[in-house]
């Protein structure tokens, strides 16, 4: 296997899926992960058809530490050492004040966005250190830079990703491993459908009146990052669509 290898969490939809496709287009073999096996299988076929690169489907829930460990420990030998890890799997569940929030939602966000990212990184970082190179890309959010009304716990988890990215950059420094956070603003994916628990109308309304980011826009940035010279590391990238200035100010043109 001569191609470079990328390990992408949350590749079944949205940003992760777009990144997997883009890296395959650039000749990377990819390990694609997520809970929905059927979507992983169809992405696997799509990548192989379009780009003729190798793909390994790894189907697990990132909240389940034992599953994460088992999946990564048991990767076949040629799949064990990624050049790139994209920690993308994540979600928002609900949009409520603290006093009205649902603790099950809080746990899901904390377990996925923080603990899941840690479990995967804990398994892959030592391999990067051992091989002497690698690039960890964490998908944070503009919600990790600011808080917005009713965003409380989601924002807290993304602030944690922001802090963990800075900490990982320090920890990886002696080993020549790059660490980057990409912190996007609103991107039209399944994100809002998941946040609003399948309420499509509410989810669609989030993106009405402006052109949000897409998964492909984030994939553009990942592609750029991976083409930088070896001695250059972008540490932190906040990106929004033109219409969004921050988490609370989006210029919408509604009729
Ligand atoms: P999507 O809902 O489209 O994709 C989320 C991905 O995460 C899916 O592939 C999903 O796979 C995976 N995922 C969620 N929970 C788990 C879990 N427990 N175990 C394994 N995989 C899981 O949303 P986005 O593409 O928008 O989100 C990707 C990342 O980008 C997230 O971290 C999100 O917080 C972040 N982000 C999104 C923004 C947006 O506006 N869309 C803006 C800023 C950041 P499956 O359901 O199959 O398990
Ligand atoms: C997703 C973007 O602003 O809805 O992280 O939190 S936002």
């Amino acid at each position: 296997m001569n191609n470079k290898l990328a390990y992408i969490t949350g590749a079944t939809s949205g940003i992760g899926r777009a990144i997997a496709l883009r890296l395959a287009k650039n000749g990377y073999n990819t390990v694609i992960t997520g809970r929905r096996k059927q979507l992983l299988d169809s992405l696997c076929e799509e990548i192989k058809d379009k780009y003729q690169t190798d793909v390994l489907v790894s189907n697990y829930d990132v909240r389940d530490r034992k599953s994460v460990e088992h999946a990564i420990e048991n990767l076949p030998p040629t799949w064990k050492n990624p050049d790139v890890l994209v920690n993308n799997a994540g979600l928002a569940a609900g949009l409520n004040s603290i006093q009205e929030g649902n603790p099950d939602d809080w746990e899901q966000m904390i377990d996925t966005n923080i603990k899941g990212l840690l479990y995967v990184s804990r398994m892959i970082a030592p391999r990067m250190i051992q091989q002497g190179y690698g690039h960890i890309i964490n998908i944070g959010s503009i919600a990790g830079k600011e808080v917005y009304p009713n965003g409380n716990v989601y924002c807290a988890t993304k602030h944690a990703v922001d802090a963990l990215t800075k900490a990982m950059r320090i920890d990886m420094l002696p080993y020549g491993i790059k660490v980057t956070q990409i912190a996007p603003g609103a991107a039209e994916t399944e994100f809002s459908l998941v946040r609003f628990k399948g309420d499509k109308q509410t989810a669609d309304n989030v993106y009405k009146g402006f052109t949000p980011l897409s998964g492909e826009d984030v994939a553009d940035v990942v592609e750029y990052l991976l083409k930088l010279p070896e001695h250059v590391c972008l540490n932190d990238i906040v990106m929004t669509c033109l219409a969004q200035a921050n988490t609370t100010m989006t210029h919408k043109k509604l009729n």
Side-chain angles (χ1 to χ4, degrees), residues 141-143 148 154 184-186 191 195 244 247:
S141 169
I142 194 168
Y148 55 84
Y154 177 68
F191 178 84
R195 166 171 257 175
Q244 183 177 16
T247 55

Side-chain angles (χ1 to χ4, degrees), residues 174-237:
Y175 307 105
I177 313 295
K178 295 186 186 185
V179 182
T180 302
Q181 170 175 245
I182 303 177
E188 191 164 8
T189 61
E190 291 183 7
F191 178 84
S192 290
L193 196 62
V194 170
R195 166 171 257 175
F196 297 112
K197 302 174 183 181
D199 177 347
K200 190 165 160 24
Q201 201 181 339
T202 306
D204 287 348
N205 277 340
V206 172
Y207 308 108
K208 282 225 171 94
F210 71 109
T211 305
L213 294 174
S214 64
E216 286 71 27
D217 295 325
V218 181
D220 284 343
V221 174
V222 172
E223 184 176 26
Y224 175 73
L225 286 173
L226 298 178
K227 288 183 174 163
L228 287 169
E230 217 177 292
H231 68 286
V232 179
C233 183
L234 292 189
N235 301 316
D236 194 13
I237 301 161

Side-chain angles (χ1 to χ4, degrees), residues 96-112:
N96 300 103
S97 61
I98 287 288
Q99 63 275 21
E100 289 170 347
N102 177 343
D104 290 334
D105 288 347
W106 299 348
E107 280 175 17
Q108 188 181 8
M109 290 187 277
I110 291 165
D111 291 351
T112 309

